[in-house]
Amino acid sequence: MTVLLQQLADPDEEGWMRVERQVLRAWSQSGSATIDYLFQRGQTALQAGQADEAIDHFSAVIDYDPEFAEAWNGRATAYFLANRMGQSLADIEQVLRLNPHHFGALAGLAMILESLERPEDALAAYEASLAINPHQQNVIDAVARLALASAGQAL
């Protein structure tokens, strides 16, 4: 995993999409068929916009394996979609405790901080996410937007 993260962090890495997919795939595999099944059901519910159902599935995964960072990340995303920011932040904290290299959780943290009108903290979280994966266009755009706003320029 260390080699993949080093490759992903290289802004000049031409195969970064493949590397990013490999990292995300590795993170989403728990090593248990049962947990993977429940996790996939949570992912499917999340993709269908069924936040409450996703929360239930990810909570079940967390009950089985509280060390599986992706379950916490999935539930954090579902909480975010359900506008339950406090719970989303708490789950992001768990993701980052278990996997400090989780660029998606850092970007999610930044989005929440930005929505809470904490632009300096949001910018720091976005930049931390980009340090791990500099290829995230939505994060690059958010950093540019926040940098412009902090410089006092109109959006």
Side-chain angles (χ1 to χ4, degrees):
M1 181 57 73
T2 302
V3 171
L4 288 175
L5 288 170
Q6 288 172 342
Q7 289 175 327
L8 188 61
D10 180 356
D12 298 323
E13 174 63 48
E14 290 183 19
W16 69 267
M17 285 187 279
R18 175 188 48 79
V19 173
E20 182 182 73
R21 278 192 307 273
Q22 288 176 312
V23 168
L24 295 174
R25 189 176 318 114
W27 286 349
S28 68
Q29 295 173 348
S30 71
S32 161
T34 301
I35 291 172
D36 288 348
Y37 174 74
L38 287 171
F39 179 75
Q40 187 55 50
R41 292 201 54 193
Q43 290 288 87
T44 301
L46 197 57
Q47 291 167 357
Q50 299 166 333
D52 290 336
E53 185 177 328
I55 290 166
D56 290 342
H57 290 300
F58 291 128
S59 294
V61 173
I62 291 165
D63 287 344
Y64 279 108
D65 184 1
E67 299 299 308
F68 185 36
E70 275 309 291
W72 291 98
N73 187 60
R75 193 171 74 174
T77 303
Y79 279 143
F80 179 82
L81 291 176
N83 203 31
R84 294 162 66 177
M85 298 306 165
Q87 290 167 301
S88 184
L89 282 170
D91 279 6
I92 289 171
E93 183 178 329
Q94 289 299 316
V95 175
L96 295 173
R97 181 184 64 77
L98 296 166
N99 181 359
H101 303 289
H102 203 296
F103 54 87
L106 286 164
L109 172 61
M111 289 172 57
I112 292 171
L113 291 169
E114 193 173 356
S115 74
L116 296 173
E117 298 182 11
R118 294 174 50 191
E120 298 84 11
D121 294 331
L123 185 58
Y126 280 132
E127 288 173 343
S129 179
L130 285 176
I132 299 165
N133 180 356
H135 310 282
Q136 304 169 86
Q137 190 59 52
N138 59 332
V139 176
I140 293 167
D141 295 344
V143 167
R145 182 182 68 251
L146 287 173
L148 279 174
S150 70
Q153 297 180 15
L155 295 179

